[in-house]
């Protein structure tokens, strides 16, 4: 049996495991059962950074992917609404195997049941394909545990790079070179309808022939309020006006930014008002893997090339018109400047994103220690913490209108622009003298893209 283990990579486009399984399914291995696995892992969900809105976003991504895999999303009469909680909760998974259990527990069940099944196609788990993930220390520990479990059972596990971040990079000076190499690699091909049909056939082998019976398997997306007891009840709520998840939404958001919304990005990103529409708004999709970094940069470069070519043609036309004595101003290229400047600014920021992920990958202790040890004692004296200040800051009731408006907006939408995020942290740590370690969980739960 082969396993695709999904984590923060719930999509089909530029997805290495799906690409390789699609090509594998067209050869003799097409008769080998396949499980496409996603787990709501109790030890990960219990992390203090997790909020109900995160899981709702995950659920939307899972449903969108399952519908794409099953072929339902390509139906002409498709009217499914990913933003409807009722439709999400009532949806039945067709292709994905989703469990509310620890990943080792589920893998062990699969291994034992496949070993118990005698057939001519082999016994046990043949391989596990997944993506690397740079997350908090609990996810880092989980990944090491899975690798150790596989190694002890001689099960090959392949973890593909999806962010351009290099594992075990000794010198971050090499990041730019490695990142360029990563970006220059072609996107992994999206499985065709024929290949998706073969993948579904292999999934059916695992379901109907092996008759896998997994504990805590979810027929539908998990009910956040009723079933996710790992999250405190006050944090299981959703954000009323957050973005909707799923690869379909991610690709549409990418296209709308590159074709219309992004024109004034460079001059609009600092304002919490203008950045709302002119910003990329891709961060939640990148964070949860509903679109890949490389796909966004690929589409960005194509758009930049298109605009440069258009500018050359318009310049040539203007020169030709001037040569014939036509002095009428051709303003057809007035929009090129803002577009090209804006896309260059966006390109630099999406590169920064991977750079800072690399920083966390190389120095994971940043999650729990100060960057400068000399400041370790600051804000941590017995009388430094002020619970009244913290409550006012976290609920947007400090009495400072700009601060309160930013926090209330964040709590309602799960997103606010970078400058306002920095302002909220600065106000809490400098003006209110609150310890960053104690305010971090609140912000993590508030950010849909954490």
């Amino acid at each position: 049996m082969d396993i695709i283990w999904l984590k923060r990579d719930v999509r089909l486009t530029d997805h290495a495991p799906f690409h390789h399984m699609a090509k594998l399914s067209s050869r003799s291995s097409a008769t080998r059962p396949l499980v496409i696995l996603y787990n709501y892992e109790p030890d990960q969900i219990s992390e203090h950074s997790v909020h109900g809105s995160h899981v709702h976003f995950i659920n939307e991504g899972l449903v969108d992917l399952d519908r794409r895999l099953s072929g339902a999303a390509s139906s002409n009469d498709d009217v499914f609404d990913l933003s409807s909680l009722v439709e999400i909760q009532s949806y039945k998974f067709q292709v994905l195997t989703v469990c509310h259990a620890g990943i080792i527990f589920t893998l062990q069940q699969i291994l034992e049941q496949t070993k118990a099944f005698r057939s001519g196609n082999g016994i046990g788990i043949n391989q596990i394909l997944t993506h690397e993930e740079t997350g908090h220390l609990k996810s880092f520990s989980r990944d090491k545990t899975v690798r150790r479990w596989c190694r002890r059972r001689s099960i090959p596990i392949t973890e593909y790079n999806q962010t351009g971040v290099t594992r075990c990079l000794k010198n971050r000076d090499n990041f730019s070179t490695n990142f360029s190499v990563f970006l220059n690699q072609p996107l992994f091909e999206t499985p065709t309808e024929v290949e998706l049909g073969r993948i579904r056939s292999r999934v059916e082998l695992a379901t109907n022939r092996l008759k896998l019976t997994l504990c805590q398997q979810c027929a539908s997306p998990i009910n956040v309020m009723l079933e996710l007891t790992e999250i405190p009840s006050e944090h299981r709520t959703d954000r009323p006006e957050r973005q909707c998840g799923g690869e379909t939404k991610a690709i549409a958001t990418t296209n709308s930014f590159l074709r219309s919304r992004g024109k004034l990005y460079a001059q609009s990103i600092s304002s919490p008002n203008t950045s709302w529409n002119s910003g990329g708004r891709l961060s939640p999709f990148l964070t949860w893997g509903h679109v890949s970094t490389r796909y966004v940069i690929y589409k960005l470069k194509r758009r930049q090339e298109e605009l440069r070519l258009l500018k050359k043609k318009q310049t040539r036309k203007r020169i030709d018109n001037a040569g014939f004595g036509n002095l009428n101003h051709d303003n057809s290229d007035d929009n090129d400047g803002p577009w090209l400047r804006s896309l260059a600014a966006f390109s630099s920021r999406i590169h920064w994103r991977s750079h800072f992920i690399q920083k966390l990958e190389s120095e994971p202790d940043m999650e729990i220690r100060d960057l400068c040890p000399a400041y370790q004692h600051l804000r941590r004296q017995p009388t430094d913490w002020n619970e009244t200040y913290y409550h006012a800051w976290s609920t947007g009731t400090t009495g400072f209108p700009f601060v309160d408006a930013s926090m209330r907006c964040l709590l309602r939408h799960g997103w606010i622009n970078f400058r306002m995020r920095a302002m909220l942290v600065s106000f809490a740590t400098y003006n209110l003298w609150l310890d960053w370690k104690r305010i971090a969980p609140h912000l993590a739960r508030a950010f849909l893209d954490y």
Side-chain angles (χ1 to χ4, degrees):
M1 169 180 286
D2 295 330
I3 296 176
I4 293 177
W5 174 27
L6 299 173
K7 295 183 282 185
R8 292 189 181 224
D9 56 344
V10 180
R11 63 177 186 275
L12 273 180
T13 306
D14 193 35
H15 194 285
F18 277 124
H19 166 77
H20 289 296
M21 281 300 168
K23 301 309 175 187
L24 191 66
S25 296
S26 64
R27 299 195 289 269
S28 58
S29 301
T31 58
R32 194 158 61 217
L34 171 66
V35 168
I36 304 172
L37 180 64
Y38 182 87
N39 275 39
Y40 302 103
E41 302 170 75
D43 63 324
Q44 303 298 308
I45 293 172
S46 63
E47 178 70 10
H48 59 204
S49 60
V50 178
H51 187 264
S53 59
H54 297 152
V55 186
H56 282 292
F57 194 86
I58 290 169
N59 284 345
E60 291 156 2
L62 290 171
V63 170
D64 187 54
L65 176 60
D66 192 77
R67 297 182 76 254
R68 288 167 69 87
L69 287 169
S70 67
S74 60
S75 173
N76 291 329
D77 58 353
D78 177 42
V79 292
F80 193 89
D81 183 6
L82 277 173
S83 63
S84 168
L85 179 60
V86 174
E87 292 203 45
I88 292 291
Q89 295 288 187
S90 61
Y91 181 82
K92 303 297 182 184
F93 291 119
Q94 306 296 312
V95 181
L96 299 180
T97 297
V98 179
C99 298
H100 182 195
I103 187 62
I104 292 294
F105 178 75
T106 300
L107 290 175
Q108 187 64 38
Q109 286 186 85
I110 294 174
L111 180 62
E112 291 173 358
Q113 291 184 39
T114 51
K115 278 188 172 182
F117 183 83
R118 296 293 185 268
S119 72
N121 295 310
I123 300 172
I125 298 173
N126 182 66
Q127 62 177 333
I128 299 174
L129 303 184
T130 188
H131 275 115
E132 292 177 351
E133 178 182 336
T134 301
H136 45 62
L137 290 172
K138 278 189 178 180
S139 68
F140 181 53
S141 175
R142 181 271 317 276
D143 289 345
K144 290 194 296 184
T145 301
V146 171
R147 286 195 292 272
R148 186 163 53 247
W149 183 88
C150 290
R151 187 167 55 250
R152 289 174 177 172
R153 289 155 183 80
S154 300
I155 298 172
I157 179 170
T158 304
E159 296 175 280
Y160 296 95
N161 191 339
Q162 68 170 344
T163 60
V165 170
T166 304
R167 282 273 169 91
C168 304
L169 185 66
K170 295 182 178 179
N171 189 339
R172 234 177 24 250
D173 291 342
N174 298 325
F175 167 74
S176 294
T177 300
N178 294 345
F179 191 60
S180 295
V181 171
F182 170 76
L183 293 181
N184 289 331
Q185 295 171 354
L187 298 179
F188 289 107
E189 295 176 12
T190 304
T192 65
E193 289 300 321
V194 173
E195 289 170 337
L196 287 177
R198 292 177 182 142
I199 286 176
R200 287 194 292 270
S201 296
R202 294 185 59 194
V203 170
E204 289 170 4
L205 286 176
T207 305
N208 301 328
R209 192 157 147 209
L210 292 182
K211 300 189 184 302
L212 285 178
T213 304
L214 302 177
C215 294
Q216 301 299 319
Q217 184 167 349
C218 305
S220 300
I222 199 163
N223 187 308
V224 179
M225 289 301 295
L226 299 180
E227 299 177 77
L228 279 185
T229 55
E230 297 89 351
I231 303 177
S233 57
E234 64 270 23
H235 300 321
R236 289 182 217 161
T237 56
D238 200 0
R239 306 285 176 205
E241 295 184 34
R242 63 169 175 81
Q243 288 175 266
C244 179
E247 183 178 10
T248 301
K249 294 284 188 182
I251 291 175
T253 304
T254 303
N255 291 335
S256 71
F257 173 72
L258 295 176
R259 292 289 167 183
S260 59
R261 295 186 298 104
K263 176 184 173 182
L264 300 179
Y265 173 85
Q267 67 191 62
S268 302
I269 54 174
S270 296
S271 167
N273 295 326
T274 55
S275 62
W276 202 258
N277 292 315
S278 297
R281 303 303 305 274
L282 290 168
S283 55
F285 303 111
L286 289 165
T287 293
W288 296 103
H290 297 177
V291 70
S292 74
T293 300
R294 194 162 55 181
Y295 173 82
V296 172
I297 293 178
Y298 168 77
K299 298 289 285 187
L300 168 66
K301 287 182 175 179
R302 290 193 63 180
R303 177 63 171 147
Q304 288 175 311
E305 290 169 1
E306 176 187 322
L307 288 167
R308 291 187 186 111
L309 181 61
L310 179 62
K311 186 174 184 178
K312 286 182 180 179
K313 288 181 178 179
Q314 292 171 342
T315 301
R316 190 179 301 115
K317 180 180 178 181
R318 188 167 59 247
I319 293 173
D320 291 343
N321 288 341
F324 286 105
N326 184 355
L327 300 180
N328 291 330
H329 176 62
D330 179 6
N331 64 358
S332 59
D333 64 338
D334 284 352
N335 292 333
D336 291 344
W339 262 118
L340 289 171
R341 284 195 299 273
S342 289
L343 295 187
F346 178 74
S347 177
S348 67
R349 281 157 180 80
I350 203 165
H351 281 70
W352 291 352
R353 179 180 183 274
S354 288
H355 170 80
F356 284 109
I357 294 175
Q358 180 68 67
K359 189 175 178 69
L360 180 62
E361 174 71 33
S362 301
E363 303 175 52
D365 286 346
M366 288 174 59
E367 182 183 335
I368 56 174
R369 66 168 175 79
D370 297 325
L371 287 178
C372 182
Y375 297 152
Q376 185 70 29
H377 67 287
L378 292 180
R379 303 178 182 86
R380 299 194 180 110
Q381 300 308 307
T383 59
D384 281 346
W385 181 258
N386 189 314
E387 186 65 28
T388 302
Y389 284 2
Y390 170 74
H391 181 265
W393 171 81
S394 63
T395 57
T397 55
T398 65
F400 291 83
F402 194 40
V403 174
D404 293 346
S406 296
M407 181 60 78
R408 293 181 192 183
C409 177
L410 176 60
L411 295 177
R412 186 168 186 83
H413 297 274
W415 184 89
I416 199 166
N417 69 323
F418 172 76
R419 291 288 173 87
M420 297 308 102
R421 297 183 189 211
M423 181 273 294
L424 287 173
V425 173
S426 296
F427 185 84
T429 55
Y430 290 101
N431 297 84
L432 302 183
W433 203 245
L434 298 175
D435 183 1
W436 69 265
K437 289 185 181 181
R438 297 180 70 171
I439 69 169
H442 172 75
L443 289 173
R445 290 189 294 268
F447 295 145
L448 184 61
D449 52 19
Y450 182 78

